[in-house]
Amino acid sequence: MAGALTALAGCAAGGGGNASGGPISMYTWVSSQSDRDQWEGFIDLGKKVDPKLDVTIDGPSFNDYWTKVKTRLSGSNPPCLLTTQAARAQELGGLLMPLDDLIKKYKLDTSAFDASMLKGMTVDGTIRAIPYDAEPIVLYYNVDAFKKAGLELPSTTYSREQFLSDAKKLTTGDHKALAIEPGFFIPNAWAIADGAEAVKGGKLDLTNSKLVDQVQSYFDLVSKEGIAAAPNAADGSDVAQAAFTGGSTDMLIEGPWMYGTFASAAKFQMGVTIVPSTSGDAHGMTAGSGFGIAKNCKDPDGAFKAIQAMTDTSVLKGQAEKRGIVPSRADAQSAWAEGKTPEAAAAVQALLGNATAQLTTPTWNQVETLFTQYGVEGYRGDKTAKDVMNTIQNSVGQ
């Protein structure tokens, strides 16, 4: 996901926090030419909304951003605009200015944005960033494999019972139905699909029984049901992705931002459905990013006007068409559907209709690292989900 959501490098031309009317400087994650193209797309399209828009960009790689942004703001000539993911808004809460007064002043209609993402961008009761995308996690599947096995194709409803039945019919010998990525991101989406969450009241709540049961059911897909192989802790997400697009497995849970990449790589017809739930109804875990304003910005009005321009409906439509993001504005989401199958668009809309943002804590990096390490033992049946989640909760010490 980081690769698909990351951004570009640019010149940090003077005046990020300058109140003198100079360019607005944005500090963001910077990783590749693809990232560069994404951020330049926001700015170029934003200029069509506001010809006075003048934004310059600077920043490190995605992984370094979350630590370096703190020192960058304490240095000379700090930037005004910052980017954050909803999953990291709590982590950057102390750096981001509450936007509620500016939202009211400039009459920005926040009801036009995905409610789950706005909740994810809210810290201590105040909105800290305006989201530009809202990406519900989906289940990709091999349509050809389903048809060959005589299975009915999933729709906007997909129960765990039906999913397991399909997966067992698709699993033959060494061929597994589902590819599993290491880390907690996807198990968290699986849990949220059934109404369990890892954070309560802003605090880490990894040992609540509902979450533990959901994580155990995900571990059981390997250790009990046998429909997937345990990931290695050293694997990147690309291992499971390659297994799916290469036809070694038939299903994969991932983000909609991967649709274009998967469709280009796969030699089969690809389908998209919801993450299975016990009831079969859609409940999406949304991930996404947005633009915020640094607390020490000297020109918050100018920065907010830039955010308004870069999150305009026309801009988000353009970015959906060019970059494949699922826009945070409902009236721009039809642009993502262009070039996709009607079934894929319907699944995304169903998930957004009942969505929960992945909420995290400032210690979330430790959670991901430890789950990657200890989760392997859970998949192999060497430890229970209760053991794994207790170990992580106690180790993080929140």
Side-chain angles (χ1 to χ4, degrees):
M1 179 183 72
L5 296 180
T6 49
L8 66 143
C11 299
N18 219 336
S20 60
I24 299 292
S25 177
M26 180 165 72
Y27 193 72
T28 184
W29 45 89
V30 176
S31 295
S32 66
Q33 182 60 45
S34 175
D35 300 339
R36 177 184 296 275
D37 293 341
Q38 175 172 281
W39 292 120
E40 287 179 347
F42 278 110
I43 295 168
D44 291 344
L45 291 170
K47 287 180 180 177
K48 295 180 180 180
V49 177
D50 179 4
K52 295 181 180 179
L53 179 67
D54 187 5
V55 175
T56 60
I57 300 162
D58 182 29
S61 69
F62 178 83
N63 289 334
D64 289 341
Y65 174 77
W66 307 99
T67 52
K68 290 188 175 180
V69 64
K70 299 169 186 177
T71 55
R72 179 67 180 86
L73 287 180
S74 63
S76 61
N77 195 23
C80 252
L81 288 174
L82 303 176
T83 53
T84 185
Q85 294 181 328
R88 310 292 286 266
Q90 297 290 331
E91 185 175 344
L92 299 189
L95 309 179
L96 293 166
M97 175 184 297
L99 300 181
D100 299 70
D101 289 343
L102 289 165
I103 289 170
K104 183 177 180 180
K105 180 178 180 179
Y106 290 98
K107 299 179 180 179
L108 178 65
D109 181 11
T110 55
S111 68
F113 293 86
D114 179 79
S116 68
M117 286 301 299
L118 280 175
K119 183 178 180 181
M121 300 292 189
T122 297
V123 180
D124 295 333
T126 59
I127 296 173
R128 303 301 176 96
I130 303 300
Y132 59 75
D133 65 344
E135 314 268 4
I137 308 306
V138 299
L139 173 68
Y140 292 93
Y141 66 94
N142 184 327
V143 172
D144 296 346
F146 268 67
K147 289 182 175 179
K148 185 177 179 179
L151 303 176
E152 183 178 347
L153 300 182
S155 63
T156 54
T157 59
Y158 200 29
S159 70
R160 297 263 173 98
E161 181 181 12
Q162 187 61 53
F163 163 75
L164 282 172
S165 174
D166 292 343
K168 288 180 179 179
K169 291 175 182 176
L170 291 166
T171 298
T172 55
D174 292 334
H175 179 90
K176 303 295 186 180
L178 178 70
I180 288 182
E181 300 178 2
F184 188 57
F185 183 68
I186 300 303
N188 200 18
W190 175 271
I192 284 176
D194 246 28
E197 295 187 54
V199 174
K200 182 178 181 180
K203 301 292 185 181
L204 206 58
D205 188 27
L206 299 180
T207 57
N208 73 80
S209 60
K210 197 169 185 179
L211 179 66
V212 168
D213 288 346
Q214 288 297 313
V215 174
Q216 186 63 58
S217 71
Y218 199 68
F219 285 161
D220 287 348
L221 299 180
V222 176
S223 60
K224 180 180 177 182
E225 307 295 350
I227 66 163
N232 295 311
D235 287 349
S237 58
D238 59 316
V239 174
Q241 293 169 6
F244 172 68
T245 58
S248 298
T249 63
D250 306 306
M251 292 185 279
L252 174 71
I253 300 175
E254 248 296 354
W257 56 83
M258 296 301 298
Y259 186 100
T261 300
F262 290 168
S264 297
K267 304 302 180 184
F268 52 81
Q269 183 181 352
M270 186 177 72
V272 175
T273 187
I274 67 169
V275 175
S277 63
T278 299
S279 67
D281 296 331
H283 186 174
M285 183 184 88
T286 48
S289 303
F291 302 110
I293 301 176
K295 277 189 174 180
N296 59 352
C297 173
K298 297 178 182 177
D299 185 15
D301 289 88
F304 192 78
K305 289 177 183 178
I307 292 175
Q308 282 187 294
M310 292 190 294
T311 57
D312 184 80
T313 297
S314 63
V315 174
L316 299 190
K317 280 186 174 181
Q319 289 293 73
E321 294 166 358
K322 287 185 178 181
R323 308 297 305 171
I325 69 167
V326 178
S328 56
R329 285 182 177 267
D331 58 1
Q333 287 165 0
S334 60
W336 183 85
E338 294 181 16
K340 315 295 191 304
T341 65
E343 292 78 14
V348 166
Q349 285 303 313
L351 289 163
L352 287 174
N354 180 23
T356 299
Q358 179 187 219
L359 302 181
T360 66
T361 65
T363 57
W364 199 254
N365 269 345
Q366 293 172 265
V367 173
E368 280 286 352
T369 299
L370 292 170
F371 191 92
T372 299
Q373 176 183 347
Y374 294 114
V376 173
E377 296 176 272
Y379 289 117
R380 293 173 179 168
D382 297 331
K383 287 187 177 180
T384 66
K386 185 176 182 180
D387 294 334
V388 171
M389 302 310 274
N390 273 328
T391 297
I392 298 173
Q393 180 83 38
N394 293 333
S395 297
V396 171
Q398 186 182 37

